[in-house]
Amino acid sequence: MIIVYPSHHVRHRPPSEIFNGEKEPHAEVPQRIEQIHEALRDTSGIRVTLPKRFPLSWIEAVHDPVYVRYVAEAGRQAGSTYTYPSVFPYIQHGDITNPIALRGQYAFDLYTPVNNTTYQAACGSAMAALTAASLVRRGERYAYALCRPPGHHAEKNRMGGYCYFNNAAIAANYLSTRGKVALLDIDVHHGNGSQHIFYERSDVFVINIHADPSEKFPYFSGTAGEIGVGEGSGYNMNYPLFLGVSDLEYDPVLQQAVQHIRRYAPQFLVVSVGYDAHIDDPIGGLRLSTAYYHRMAATIASLGIPTVLVQEGGYNTGKLASVAKNFVRGFMQ
Ligand SMILES: [Zn+2]
């Protein structure tokens, strides 16, 4: 398996996120990807490569170009200090230009600050996903992009949930020029961004398995009733799970999701890989074991579809190495 490692990510390190008015240590830290990279690079059968450059138009194909420019410009203006929104839009009257208003316009939470390292890191992360997608498009069976910052919460024109550009959606859209794509999201949080981006499309089938949004972030989406609209009706599926679900209860749901993907018969599969459904994750809420990640990967790999793995969440830096190793071994067995 080829691993794509975007080395620029280490410069992006927000010190804090704001929760309930308090500054708390930011959970999305560089050590996450460093530990996964370290654990995987010496594994037999794995080769590590750096991201290649792709035209910005691949990012702008899923994100509003005005939003993409905003991420770059807001970061430049912020310098090295991370900036946060203060006010969110309550009505829309014409163009917004005030920097404080723009921060609210293009974000939906206070977990996802911007400074002058953010744009480069977010682009590097997207390029890693595109590199993995291009390898698979050229005939590689599997490729794994160690994306950081993560992406699946980023909508067409809004950052949130530590995500700026939606790496998995960018990869899925890139592959969709060659055939149907399924996007399976196994991060513990609902991939609201991926759902938002493909909600009206039938050529990218989005399936999410996640903790019930009435209990967990992102709170406002991820119910079973969200099935897509128009052309996309029936091509979006959500499996919200009760908090505390373990391997035994999770597995039948994964089997069902895999059946749906098999019936859809995509040419490519993109997996939003979060390790935050693990029992020891500090923010997850489910109870999957390290060993189950091996089985989960083997189940997904049994589809036999050329697959791009895209890193999303997973916040227990003491466990990520072993969980990632298990997952990758399950995929390659
Ligand atoms: Zn997550």
Side-chain angles (χ1 to χ4, degrees):
M1 183 185 289
I2 299 180
I3 304 272
V4 189
Y5 168 68
S7 54
H8 283 309
H9 84 87
V10 291
R11 296 183 59 217
H12 171 70
R13 44 176 77 220
S16 354
E17 51 191 86
I18 299 172
F19 178 72
N20 199 22
E22 301 286 339
K23 274 194 170 181
E24 298 193 348
H26 207 276
E28 205 287 283
V29 293
Q31 293 90 306
R32 299 177 51 246
I33 291 303
E34 290 307 288
Q35 284 169 6
I36 296 172
H37 176 225
E38 217 164 278
L40 296 182
R41 70 182 169 195
D42 298 327
T43 305
S44 72
I46 284 187
R47 182 164 71 79
V48 178
T49 186
L50 295 173
K52 296 207 167 12
R53 278 185 170 279
F54 289 78
L56 199 61
S57 55
W58 285 114
I59 297 178
E60 294 174 338
V62 307
H63 292 290
D64 183 346
V66 177
Y67 167 71
V68 175
R69 277 198 297 280
Y70 166 76
V71 180
E73 191 47 41
R76 253 195 305 277
Q77 283 177 10
S80 59
T81 307
Y82 279 95
T83 55
Y84 297 77
S86 301
V87 181
F88 294 98
Y90 53 88
I91 199 166
Q92 199 78 52
H93 290 308
D95 286 346
I96 301 291
T97 53
N98 182 292
I100 295 170
L102 287 170
R103 278 179 220 155
Q105 169 95 342
Y106 291 121
F108 65 81
D109 65 19
L110 285 82
Y111 305 156
T112 318
V114 172
N115 83 347
N116 59 5
T117 65
T118 307
Y119 180 72
Q120 192 186 25
C123 282
S125 192
M127 295 301 158
L130 282 164
T131 304
S134 76
L135 288 163
V136 167
R137 198 169 83 165
R138 287 203 307 255
E140 203 65 45
R141 201 91 194 116
Y142 310 116
Y144 184 1
L146 297 186
C147 293
R148 180 176 176 275
H152 73 148
H153 295 302
E155 300 190 337
K156 286 175 189 168
N157 52 8
R158 280 198 296 190
M159 59 188 73
Y162 314 146
C163 303
Y164 304 87
F165 299 147
N166 194 320
N167 311 306
I170 291 164
N173 181 66
Y174 171 89
L175 291 168
S176 74
T177 58
R178 289 290 174 90
K180 290 195 296 184
V181 181
L183 197 173
L184 173 64
D185 189 325
I186 55 167
D187 187 280
V188 80
H189 303 103
H190 178 240
N192 60 294
S194 307
Q195 170 170 306
H196 181 241
I197 287 163
F198 297 116
Y199 209 55
E200 295 176 39
R201 286 173 58 170
S202 61
D203 60 334
V204 179
F205 177 32
V206 179
I207 300 194
N208 259 281
I209 307 173
H210 50 271
D212 189 335
S214 67
E215 301 276 2
K216 284 283 173 181
F217 187 89
Y219 303 109
F220 293 97
S221 67
T223 61
E226 298 155 34
I227 59 162
V229 293
E231 180 82 8
S233 183
Y235 295 95
N236 188 85
M237 291 188 82
N238 285 322
Y239 288 103
L241 304 174
F242 292 118
L243 291 191
V245 152
S246 62
D247 305 349
L248 273 179
E249 298 150 307
Y250 188 98
D251 198 56
V253 177
L254 178 67
Q255 300 290 349
Q256 262 188 56
V258 162
Q259 276 307 326
H260 283 290
I261 293 170
R262 188 171 281 125
R263 251 179 263 140
Y264 181 69
Q267 195 164 338
F268 302 104
L269 175 64
V270 175
V271 184
S272 271
V273 182
Y275 298 132
D276 44 8
H278 188 272
I279 186 166
D280 295 325
D281 191 89
I283 63 174
L286 302 192
R287 296 174 55 242
L288 303 189
S289 67
T290 303
Y292 182 68
Y293 275 89
H294 186 281
R295 189 163 156 211
M296 185 197 275
T299 300
I300 298 167
S302 74
L303 282 163
I305 302 168
T307 300
V308 179
L309 304 172
V310 177
Q311 189 64 48
E312 303 288 359
Y315 301 98
N316 185 332
T317 49
K319 289 286 161 66
L320 284 173
S322 55
V323 177
K325 253 188 178 171
N326 260 29
F327 188 79
V328 165
R329 284 195 186 129
F331 227 92
M332 296 196 306
Q333 76 177 5

